Amino acid sequence: ESVSVWRLGTTAQSVLDLLQTIPPRPRVYVVQPGDSLSGLAAQWGTTVGDIVRRNGITNPDMPSIGQQLIIPRGS
């Protein structure tokens, strides 16, 4: 799901080209009973605001069970 690459002479250009062609897929999480956005943000190392913005959530106090959320990388 994620890739970390250092460019400074240690990563082949072919790897960088591949990442531009096929970027990593986003992390997707399915909301379970008892989940809260604050709990998910803490678990995944991001913020509630970032989850809300990435998913267009209008009421962050009530995530829908079964809803698929894209979890942004840490802030």
Side-chain angles (χ1 to χ4, degrees), residues 1 3 7 17 19-20 30 33 36 38 56 59 64 69:
E1 290 184 19
V3 176
R7 172 68 175 117
D17 293 341
L19 290 173
Q20 288 179 336
V30 178
S36 67
S38 60
N59 184 353
S64 301
L69 298 175

Side-chain angles (χ1 to χ4, degrees), residues 35-37 48 52 57-64:
D35 281 343
S36 67
L37 293 187
V48 171
V52 166
I57 295 172
T58 55
N59 184 353
D61 295 325
M62 298 198 54
S64 301

Side-chain angles (χ1 to χ4, degrees), residues 7 9-10 13 15-16 25-26 28-29 40 48-49 55 64 68 75:
R7 172 68 175 117
T10 59
Q13 184 62 43
V15 172
L16 297 173
R25 292 183 306 245
V28 177
Y29 177 79
L40 293 173
V48 171
N55 292 279
S64 301
Q68 291 186 353
S75 302

